[in-house]
Amino acid sequence: MHEFSLVESIVDSLLTMQQDAGWRRIVQVQLRVGVLRQVFPDILSFAFETVTRGTPLEGTKLVVEEVPLAFRCLDCGTTWGDEGGTCPCCGSIQRETLAGMELIIQSLEVEEPPS
Amino acid sequence: MNKIVTIQQSIMAEDEKFADAIRADNGKRGLLMVNLIGSPGCGKTTLLEKTAEARRLSFAVIEGDLATSRDAERLAKHDIPVVQVNTHGGCHLEANVVQKAMEALPLDTLDVLFVENVGNLVCPAEFDLGEDFKVALLSTPEGADKPLKYPYLFTSSEVILLTKADLLPYLNFDMDMFTRDVAHLNPSAKTVHVDSLSGRGLDEWLAILEERVREKKAHAL
Ligand SMILES: Nc1nc2c(ncn2[C@@H]2O[C@H](COP(=O)(O)OP(=O)(O)OP(=O)(O)O)[C@@H](O)[C@H]2O)c(=O)[nH]1
Ligand SMILES: [Mg+2]
Ligand SMILES: [Zn+2]
Ligand SMILES: [Zn+2]
């Protein structure tokens, strides 16, 4: 149930942003979540609903986009995905993770105050 | 009128501000910070006790514990400066709490600052505390399938310690599976088999720390 810990961080960030920008309401939140994070979108939404009840974020919708794994070899530059492990081209163990670890608030749909 | 605003910011941006500040301070000081993560009872405190007994490094510990101060008392017996942080049921430590705890420690006299995180393989791995690297501890009785079940921890740790290696003869621990899965998740991880009772593997563990301490001090401003 680590989704509850994550939701607390999301809520903190959103409330700070809303206060700073003066939006009337955040209608929808688009998240990018790497597969390695093992986040279950349904549990995340449930946790978000529970934690935001009675706050300015009540009724805000979460949309989760899953990001697959991607690696790049630091020796030969080959990129590869899901299968993980060593470089499929040169066998090097030195790789960087390009994607699959992220927990990102990508964008928001917000309602602005009437001008 | 509704509008779309692009954010592209980490979910943990608020926590990461504290973590970045800790990392910057420790960089100036040349202090290595290591975040120990593993299940309840996997041997984190015992490893720290053995590390103290070896007397090769000067270190302090921030103890994250759900409720008691027993681990802190165990380490204080070895003259290790310890700050106890009770999370009151919280499943992980966060950087703002760690930053406060650090104020009570003699940071300028240390080689290493260890954080013994709350016993848990999920949330502690997700919250950056400003450490130089994470150490994942897995004790042999927990079973060889754990790296694949908790891939984020085992992928994001620089060192993986297989603890309670003395128990291997009594368990059906599938070493081939463990080695294969770790190589798949994290091919450049340094994996050490440790038996804290006899001290086997401790030299390798200490050598990894000593090398990283040297690097850290060499890069201090
Ligand atoms: N056989 C064996 N037992 C060990 C070893 N290391 C630790 N233990 C035992 O495992 C138990 C738990 O060890 P701790 O060091 O308290 O574990 P911990 O990870 O700090 O536990 P928490 O902080 O409560 O999560 C103790 O009874 C230790 O004596 C080891 O290498 N071999
Ligand atoms: Mg302990
Ligand atoms: Zn948790
Ligand atoms: Zn390669």
Side-chain angles (χ1 to χ4, degrees):
Chain A
M1 292 301 270
H2 67 136
E3 284 82 1
F4 273 90
S5 306
L6 300 180
V7 156
E8 280 174 23
S9 296
I10 296 172
V11 166
D12 283 351
S13 299
L14 293 178
L15 288 175
T16 307
M17 287 177 205
Q18 182 170 19
Q19 200 158 36
D20 290 352
W23 302 314
R24 181 191 268 185
R25 211 168 84 76
I26 300 179
V27 181
Q28 183 166 303
V29 181
Q30 186 87 30
L31 300 176
R32 281 169 61 79
V33 178
V35 285
L36 221 50
R37 295 292 192 151
Q38 292 184 304
V39 170
F40 293 93
D42 287 351
I43 302 180
L44 196 74
S45 297
F46 169 72
F48 187 78
E49 263 177 55
T50 309
V51 171
T52 56
R53 206 161 289 152
T55 77
L57 294 170
E58 181 164 348
T60 298
K61 194 164 169 254
L62 277 193
V63 180
V64 178
E65 179 198 347
E66 267 210 335
V67 185
L69 278 169
F71 301 102
R72 177 167 46 219
C73 174
L74 293 178
D75 287 317
C76 78
T78 297
T79 58
W80 73 99
D82 253 354
E83 61 276 28
T86 53
C87 173
C89 176
C90 74
S92 168
I93 60 168
Q94 301 300 334
R95 65 179 199 196
E96 68 177 319
T97 308
L98 298 177
M101 308 266 256
E102 45 279 270
L103 275 181
I104 291 174
I105 300 173
Q106 179 63 20
S107 63
L108 306 177
E109 182 184 338
V110 301
E111 198 180 303
E112 298 211 275
S115 46
Chain B
M1 267 300 285
N2 289 3
K3 69 168 183 182
I4 305 291
V5 189
T6 304
I7 305 288
Q8 278 184 329
Q9 161 183 313
S10 162
I11 282 174
M12 274 95 160
E14 293 300 307
D15 304 296
E16 283 162 10
K17 280 181 204 155
F18 291 100
D20 288 344
I22 290 173
R23 202 170 275 117
D25 278 352
N26 288 343
K28 279 183 221 151
R29 253 185 222 113
L31 173 61
L32 186 74
M33 182 168 165
V34 179
N35 188 355
L36 301 178
I37 301 176
S39 300
C42 68
K44 299 179 290 294
T45 308
T46 308
L47 178 79
L48 290 171
E49 290 174 312
K50 296 295 164 180
T51 304
E53 283 168 18
R55 298 191 172 278
R56 280 164 56 174
L57 293 161
S58 146
F59 69 88
V61 179
I62 294 175
E63 270 294 337
D65 228 314
L66 292 173
T68 72
S69 60
R70 294 206 48 196
D71 287 357
E73 287 158 19
R74 279 167 62 186
L75 291 166
K77 279 195 193 127
H78 294 268
D79 292 324
I80 299 298
V82 191
V83 182
Q84 166 83 32
V85 181
N86 281 337
T87 57
H88 305 292
C91 53
H92 60 274
L93 284 172
E94 291 181 17
N96 58 341
V97 177
V98 168
Q99 193 182 44
K100 277 215 196 71
M102 286 171 71
E103 287 169 11
L105 290 169
L107 300 174
D108 291 321
T109 69
L110 303 173
D111 299 320
V112 187
L113 173 61
F114 287 105
V115 177
E116 179 179 339
N117 220 310
V118 182
N120 176 337
L121 296 173
V122 183
C123 302
E126 303 189 309
F127 287 80
D128 184 5
L129 301 182
E131 70 272 356
D132 290 276
F133 61 92
K134 291 189 284 222
V135 176
L137 294 93
L138 175 69
S139 62
T140 52
E142 293 171 69
D145 57 343
K146 294 304 169 290
L148 272 198
K149 286 192 179 169
Y150 301 96
Y152 188 72
L153 172 63
F154 288 90
T155 301
S156 61
S157 295
E158 187 175 307
V159 178
I160 297 173
L161 299 182
L162 184 64
T163 60
K164 309 194 186 180
D166 54 300
L167 300 179
L168 282 169
Y170 313 103
L171 304 164
N172 58 349
F173 188 88
D174 187 340
M175 192 60 81
D176 287 340
M177 179 198 268
F178 174 77
T179 311
R180 191 176 354 104
D181 289 350
V182 166
H184 168 82
L185 290 170
N186 193 346
S188 62
K190 298 182 189 90
T191 304
V192 186
H193 297 191
V194 182
D195 160 11
S196 289
L197 301 193
S198 77
R200 196 158 44 96
L202 263 155
D203 188 59
E204 210 180 324
W205 159 243
L206 290 165
I208 291 170
L209 292 171
E210 284 168 339
E211 192 192 333
R212 295 292 258 114
V213 165
R214 267 197 302 279
E215 281 171 23
K216 189 79 189 187
K217 289 191 172 162
H219 287 107
L221 299 175

